[in-house]
Amino acid sequence: MGDISYSNGTNNGNGNGNGNGVNGKAHSVLNGYRKSCWYEEEIEENLRWSFALNSILHTGATPYQDIALLDTKPFGKALVIDGKLQSAETDEFIYHECLVHPPLLHHPNPKTIFIMGGGEGSTARELLRHRTVEKVVMCDIDEEVVEFCKSYLIVNSEAFCDPRLELIINDARAELEHREEQYDVIIGDLADPIEGGPCYKLYTKSFYELIVKPRLSKEGVFVTQAGPAGIFSHTEVFSCIYNTLRQVFKYVVPYSAHVPSYADIWGWIMASDTPFELSADELDLRIKQRIKGENRYLDGKTLSSASTLSKAVRQSMDNETHVYTEGTARFIYGHGHGSAYKQN
């Protein structure tokens, strides 16, 4: 759950300066002291991640979730949904390059893409850099979040206006279920599986087996973001999503990267019935041939190393037996609902 707090640099005697809630209204001065504003998110029990803000640009609520756009000092503009940081201006390129480019580079000729979620627009932006791509269907359930991102995230304006992008407001599961066409790549740019939230159903074996896989074309590739993948955090959901996909696809590759604003290593998993055999040099050649502009994070060597997990994580992943179903779901820490505001 994300909190925004304000500090005047004084101590009220309890060691942390906590005071009364102010419903998100920031004032620059209190009792003659200049105040600073902080965003705080509880990552796990007894561990919180906090950074300074320049300002709160916008807060609001939709029928599905709470939204905030923060101007942070270390990470620029940051999008927070349901109290969980989704992406930050200075490092979102790491997450989105890792999500998009590996499956498209491994596919021989990716033309049609389906995005589950992705309302922010950054996934579509990276996809539309690929010269082979002819059509991108982006399906997000929350129209207000999409409109919010269109208005505030200027970096993705061009992607939202690209004629190759078809924007659908619907539940991704329902949309895939009723569509008859197949896609070269299907991308899960979904919120993390949180207890009480709707997204966990899109990480289950039945969903992958009965809805995702039949919608992939020959040599099709599926990729999903898969939550924290650090030395301690990977057992929350990363390892069991990996094991679940192994029950459905012949070839499954987990990979990870450090995303500074997430305060952790983050994980993605790529799956197909066609093997992933490209070398670093072959990946670099495809990057040069297919992608407009320069990647800031990902090249052949980076991708090859990203799929080499540490010894402890690798052993844990290999020994994972849990299969993700609606009845046996795992969740990341925290509920993520309702950002709270307080004054320190």
Side-chain angles (χ1 to χ4, degrees):
M1 168 150 166
D3 288 354
I4 296 173
S5 61
Y6 309 93
S7 174
N8 62 9
T10 63
N11 192 312
N12 67 356
N14 64 6
N16 60 20
N18 285 344
N20 296 321
V22 295
N23 297 321
K25 293 182 180 179
H27 302 279
S28 60
V29 177
L30 178 69
N31 298 330
Y33 291 91
R34 184 162 184 83
K35 297 166 57 182
S36 58
C37 185
W38 290 77
Y39 171 78
E40 183 179 87
E41 185 171 316
E42 193 166 341
I43 298 173
E44 58 185 68
E45 191 174 5
N46 302 321
L47 179 62
R48 292 187 175 188
W49 173 230
S50 182
F51 46 84
L53 303 180
N54 292 312
S55 63
I56 302 167
L57 299 174
H58 182 85
T59 61
T62 80
Y64 299 98
Q65 50 208 346
D66 294 329
I67 318 168
L69 187 66
L70 312 176
D71 182 9
T72 79
K73 289 186 178 181
F75 302 118
K77 291 176 184 170
L79 178 67
V80 177
I81 294 181
D82 275 347
K84 294 286 185 182
L85 190 143
Q86 302 298 307
S87 71
E89 187 176 22
T90 59
D91 64 8
E92 58 87 3
F93 68 92
I94 303 172
Y95 171 94
H96 290 102
E97 286 186 18
C98 286
L99 177 68
V100 167
H101 300 310
L104 267 73
L105 292 169
H106 279 284
H107 192 283
N109 189 23
K111 294 182 178 180
T112 58
I113 320 295
F114 188 97
I115 310 170
M116 302 187 294
E120 176 188 344
S122 301
T123 295
R125 180 197 71 214
E126 292 300 316
L127 285 167
L128 293 166
R129 293 176 57 208
H130 282 254
R131 294 183 174 91
T132 62
V133 169
E134 297 175 356
K135 181 180 180 181
V136 174
V137 178
M138 185 175 88
C139 182
D140 197 287
I141 196 170
D142 197 332
E143 186 171 17
E144 291 183 44
V145 166
V146 174
E147 293 302 319
F148 175 88
C149 293
K150 278 185 181 180
S151 300
Y152 287 96
L153 302 182
I154 307 301
V155 68
N156 297 331
S157 297
E158 191 175 328
F160 278 115
C161 295
D162 195 300
R164 293 172 291 170
L165 179 66
E166 178 186 354
L167 176 60
I168 303 290
I169 303 300
N170 196 6
D171 174 77
R173 182 186 187 117
E175 188 67 26
L176 270 178
E177 215 165 5
H178 91 260
R179 283 181 173 250
E180 295 183 359
E181 61 264 45
Q182 292 184 313
Y183 300 91
D184 297 319
V185 177
I186 296 176
I187 295 177
D189 186 14
L190 302 161
D192 297 315
I194 294 173
E195 191 169 5
C199 278
Y200 77 92
K201 296 178 182 179
L202 304 185
Y203 293 93
T204 60
K205 181 186 176 186
S206 62
F207 177 65
Y208 295 146
E209 193 169 42
L210 302 177
I211 297 175
V212 171
K213 191 171 182 178
R215 292 292 170 267
L216 284 172
S217 60
K218 185 180 179 183
E219 299 182 290
V221 182
F222 172 68
V223 68
T224 184
Q225 82 86 16
I231 192 78
F232 302 120
S233 59
H234 73 277
T235 55
E236 283 188 306
V237 295
F238 184 55
S239 60
C240 69
I241 294 171
Y242 166 66
N243 187 55
T244 302
L245 283 166
R246 285 198 297 179
Q247 316 304 309
V248 179
F249 292 93
K250 290 182 182 177
Y251 303 97
V252 181
V253 176
Y255 57 103
S256 63
H258 178 234
V259 181
S261 63
Y262 290 173
D264 205 348
I265 305 293
W266 210 254
W268 302 265
I269 301 171
M270 195 166 50
S272 179
D273 283 341
T274 301
F276 302 107
E277 297 179 326
L278 295 180
S279 67
D281 289 341
E282 289 170 325
L283 287 164
D284 280 333
L285 180 59
R286 286 195 175 182
I287 288 171
K288 184 177 179 180
Q289 291 171 338
R290 296 183 181 185
I291 300 178
K292 298 174 187 175
E294 288 287 325
N295 285 346
R296 295 172 64 188
Y297 181 79
L298 202 72
D299 62 4
K301 286 183 179 178
T302 305
L303 179 52
S304 297
S305 65
S307 59
T308 304
L309 306 177
S310 68
K311 177 183 177 181
V313 174
R314 194 167 63 247
Q315 288 180 339
S316 175
M317 299 283 276
D318 288 343
N319 293 328
E320 179 64 77
T321 60
H322 190 91
V323 175
Y324 207 108
T325 69
E326 289 190 24
T328 62
R330 287 184 182 174
F331 305 100
I332 67 162
Y333 179 80
H335 291 267
H337 291 293
S339 297
Y341 300 89
K342 61 184 180 180
Q343 183 174 326
N344 286 346

